[in-house]
Amino acid sequence: MNKVFYHALKFREDLCIGCSHCMNVCPTEAVRVWHGKAQLHANRCIDCGECYRVCPVGAITVEQDDFDNIYHYTTRIALLPSVFTGQFPASIQPSEIRQALFELGFTHVVEVEEGVEFLSEQILKYISEHSDRKPLISSFCPAIVRLIQVKFPTLVDHIIRLKAPVDVTALHTINSIKEKGFPSEQTGLFYITPCAAKIAAVREPVGEQQSLITGVINMNYLYNRVWKIISKQKRQGNRPEPCALTTKSLCWSLTHGESDHVKIGKSLAIDEINNVIEFLEKLENDEIKGIDFLELRACDESCAGGILCPGNRFLTASKMREAVLRQESLSPSERVNGMLFTPEQTAFLQQHVHLGAIHPRSIMKLDDNVAEAMVKMKRIYELRRLLPQVDCGICGAPTCSALSEDVVQGQADIRQCIFVQRIMEQNEKLDTAESVRIMREIWSNSKLDKNSLKEGTKF
């Protein structure tokens, strides 16, 4: 079987109250409840962060690097995504944000989207060279790449095997640093991330052995530190500064950021994980045809809606698009034309921009032995017919289908279903005490030992 994914999302049993909110929203059915606590089925999780959004007690956390790790390096580079600037009020200028980052200890600040102009050309070239695999799917969102690996393995070959903008920029930055004579072992690249999936992508990149990025910093954490510095400074007016990015680069991380610039055939942009799943199900079933390129993002409003973004996603996206309009209002001589790479730099990036093989990691792989897998599949179908198909979640699994799979895989008991329990009690195959014991195993004693009910309180 495949090794377990690295996950940035961590479940804290000491805080979990077993509310099952996380279980009910997980798009890949990666969560179960057992002994009154949420449990993660690691091979199903794609680090989309939907569970993190809904947890009412903060029992789901995001594993991140200690900010003080930057001081282990003499050259400390912040990889700054445009969506970070979009978190601040429009009156805050990019130069103020950069200056605050310098005050925090970074020696260089590099815009993540600097490599977008180069990358967009490579995407167009890739699509034209792989027209037999349409629709081709953007590799920008790591949660989507993992989603396809685990839930839609037949579509893996449709993923564009090119690095994401942050990896292209990291590649160019580390190469430039070496050219300028900075020792690579004393250089640290730190990405300011809006989501957990990008942390997982740095820790365990898909299609390559190791990321060039040294560490990842929680955007929400850094926003608060930067805002604290800016709020103490005396500010000089609110006149907008010229942007350091092209209009294409500015909105690349937003919905339609890629698809609007892929001018080959028909392109679509779909955001929010459940919308993406619905579309991919239709695509896998051959219900959708004639699409050449798909920009798929796990979060609503794409990176502006990342779980680590402190600002409102709609306001963030609006501010970023307003910056585009300001750019477009400038004369051609005033506009930013994008990062200009030398022929040598372009050749270097072209040599390293491609990803290796992206392998399926299907959650439906029941067994390595095909014959045994077929037996298990038949058993799952049989169990599904026995279960009520109401997906109540009382069994500790999100759906009746998920419970069926767990039972066949030896991870659950069919008697966990409350409907099965009642039928067995009626047929005298299960006594009440055993039924209560099973419920206690799932939901813990605390949820079943209610003093008010014991004492006969009237309602």
Side-chain angles (χ1 to χ4, degrees):
M1 299 294 282
N2 293 317
K3 71 171 186 175
V4 175
F5 277 133
Y6 168 87
H7 296 295
L9 293 166
K10 306 297 180 184
F11 285 56
R12 289 190 55 179
E13 287 197 5
D14 59 322
L15 296 179
C16 180
I17 59 173
C19 66
S20 76
H21 292 357
C22 55
M23 182 182 77
N24 292 327
V25 300
C26 180
T28 57
E29 298 184 342
V31 183
R32 303 291 187 272
V33 175
W34 191 247
H35 297 306
K37 304 290 182 179
Q39 308 287 333
L40 184 69
H41 280 209
N43 272 329
R44 289 174 172 263
C45 177
I46 60 173
D47 285 273
C48 65
E50 292 303 304
C51 55
Y52 179 92
R53 293 184 197 277
V54 301
C55 181
V57 294
I60 301 172
T61 60
V62 178
E63 187 173 74
Q64 59 207 1
D65 289 312
D66 187 337
F67 182 81
D68 288 346
N69 286 353
I70 73 169
Y71 304 118
H72 296 162
Y73 301 87
T74 54
T75 303
R76 302 179 287 273
I77 304 171
L79 296 174
L80 181 71
S82 58
V83 73
F84 182 71
T85 304
Q87 304 303 308
F88 294 85
S91 59
I92 303 296
Q93 302 305 315
S95 61
E96 296 177 272
I97 297 170
R98 295 169 73 92
Q99 183 57 40
L101 291 172
F102 290 137
E103 290 187 31
L104 286 171
F106 289 105
T107 59
H108 300 73
V109 177
V110 178
E111 305 276 356
V112 163
E113 290 81 9
E114 281 186 358
V116 160
E117 294 291 339
F118 165 81
L119 181 60
S120 63
E121 293 177 3
Q122 300 305 306
I123 290 174
L124 292 173
K125 181 181 178 183
Y126 189 99
I127 293 174
S128 65
E129 292 175 352
H130 297 83
S131 57
D132 58 320
R133 298 184 188 175
K134 292 180 180 178
L136 286 162
I137 301 171
S138 167
S139 59
F140 176 91
C141 179
I144 295 300
V145 173
R146 282 193 169 187
L147 173 71
I148 293 172
Q149 286 181 284
V150 303
K151 196 172 177 69
F152 302 97
T154 61
L155 299 177
V156 161
D157 287 339
H158 293 260
I159 299 171
I160 294 176
R161 283 161 54 180
L162 295 174
K163 296 180 186 292
V166 64
D167 298 306
V168 172
T169 300
L171 183 64
H172 171 67
T173 300
I174 201 71
N175 190 50
S176 298
I177 286 291
K178 288 180 181 178
E179 289 177 348
K180 293 175 182 177
F182 291 89
S184 58
E185 67 276 7
Q186 296 178 24
T187 300
L189 274 69
F190 294 88
Y191 174 52
I192 303 166
T193 179
C195 73
K198 291 181 185 292
I199 297 175
V202 170
R203 293 286 186 274
E204 190 180 87
V206 175
E208 52 187 338
Q209 291 297 315
Q210 187 174 1
S211 173
L212 290 173
I213 297 170
T214 311
V216 282
I217 299 172
N218 183 321
M219 183 175 289
N220 186 46
Y221 167 83
L222 193 62
Y223 169 86
N224 290 318
R225 293 197 63 173
V226 169
W227 179 252
K228 185 176 181 180
I229 291 173
I230 292 174
S231 63
K232 291 180 178 179
Q233 296 173 343
K234 291 183 179 180
R235 308 189 55 245
Q236 304 293 325
N238 295 325
R239 184 178 178 183
E241 296 175 354
C243 184
L245 297 172
T246 65
T247 54
K248 181 193 296 187
S249 303
L250 266 171
C251 284
W252 192 261
S253 61
L254 299 181
T255 304
H256 294 286
E258 289 180 272
S259 62
D260 283 353
H261 298 97
V262 176
K263 302 299 183 183
I264 296 179
K266 185 174 182 180
S267 301
L268 285 182
I270 303 167
D271 62 12
E272 203 279 322
I273 191 72
N274 292 300
N275 293 335
V276 171
I277 289 173
E278 180 186 1
F279 189 90
L280 289 178
E281 285 174 346
K282 292 181 180 296
L283 185 65
E284 195 173 48
N285 293 332
D286 287 328
E287 297 176 38
I288 296 174
K289 298 183 184 296
I291 307 297
D292 297 282
F293 174 77
L294 285 173
E295 170 202 307
L296 305 178
R297 308 286 178 84
C299 296
D300 188 14
E301 290 292 336
S302 296
C303 286
I307 61 171
L308 301 180
C309 290
N312 178 276
R313 62 189 183 279
F314 301 110
L315 292 176
T316 298
S318 176
K319 281 181 281 189
M320 294 172 69
R321 292 187 174 110
E322 285 169 4
V324 169
L325 294 176
R326 286 196 298 271
Q327 279 276 71
E328 292 176 341
S329 68
L330 299 174
S331 65
S333 61
E334 294 175 305
R335 293 180 188 175
V336 176
N337 295 316
M339 173 65 70
L340 297 176
F341 297 130
T342 65
E344 292 77 15
Q345 289 172 333
T346 300
F348 174 79
L349 290 175
Q350 288 174 338
Q351 184 181 355
H352 295 89
V353 72
H354 291 271
L355 296 173
I358 300 175
H359 300 289
R361 301 177 66 145
S362 175
I363 56 179
M364 283 302 294
K365 187 176 181 180
L366 299 174
D367 200 280
D368 289 329
N369 183 290
V370 176
E372 183 63 26
M374 294 298 292
V375 171
K376 289 182 177 181
M377 181 63 73
K378 181 181 178 182
R379 181 59 179 152
I380 287 172
Y381 287 141
E382 292 171 349
L383 289 177
R384 283 176 181 170
R385 288 197 297 268
L386 292 174
L387 294 173
Q389 301 302 319
V390 296
D391 298 340
C392 63
I394 297 174
C395 63
T399 63
C400 293
S401 178
L403 177 61
S404 300
E405 293 175 30
D406 290 350
V407 171
V408 169
Q409 294 292 70
Q411 299 167 348
D413 187 323
I414 191 66
R415 298 179 302 169
Q416 291 175 211
C417 174
I418 194 72
F419 293 90
V420 170
Q421 288 181 21
R422 298 292 83 82
I423 293 170
M424 293 181 73
E425 286 175 3
Q426 291 172 21
N427 295 328
E428 298 183 351
K429 292 183 178 180
L430 184 72
D431 60 36
T432 303
E434 179 64 6
S435 178
V436 171
R437 185 195 66 78
I438 292 169
M439 287 295 103
R440 286 183 188 278
E441 277 202 315
I442 301 169
W443 295 103
S444 78
N445 291 332
S446 61
K447 285 188 172 57
L448 295 180
D449 292 339
K450 298 297 182 182
N451 290 328
S452 59
L453 290 174
K454 283 183 178 180
E455 295 165 5
T457 301
K458 295 180 179 180
F459 295 97

